Amino acid sequence: MGYSLFNDMEVFVAHHLTPSELADQLQMKRQEVIGMCVEMGVPIFHGRIDRTLFECSMRAFRAGRAGSPASS
């Protein structure tokens, strides 16, 4: 009888991509991806970015911008 540690747990796998690969998948330019990482504080470690962290940070960043009053 086998026993699995992941019977009722959801498992998330990190997807670490280069800025170019991430830009291609998100239909952005490479420099935009790098700039967004710097602006949002998403680390680029050994030339790779965690896609899940980048997307979550970008959603939160955009939601924060949408909720803030426009500068006059």
Side-chain angles (χ1 to χ4, degrees), residues 60-72:
F61 183 76
R62 288 184 175 165
R65 276 188 160 180
S68 66
S71 305
S72 0

Side-chain angles (χ1 to χ4, degrees), residues 9-63:
M9 293 173 43
E10 199 169 338
V11 178
F12 295 97
V13 178
H15 298 282
H16 295 91
L17 306 171
T18 65
S20 296
E21 293 168 336
L22 189 56
D24 289 343
Q25 289 189 10
L26 298 177
Q27 299 169 353
M28 296 173 70
K29 292 182 180 177
R30 180 180 174 274
Q31 289 300 327
E32 288 177 307
V33 169
I34 294 169
M36 290 295 293
C37 284
V38 171
E39 196 168 346
M40 297 182 303
V42 173
I44 301 173
F45 189 67
H46 291 290
R48 298 202 174 255
I49 302 163
D50 184 324
R51 179 183 174 148
T52 304
L53 177 60
F54 181 84
E55 288 179 339
C56 290
S57 297
M58 196 159 67
R59 276 193 294 274
F61 183 76
R62 288 184 175 165

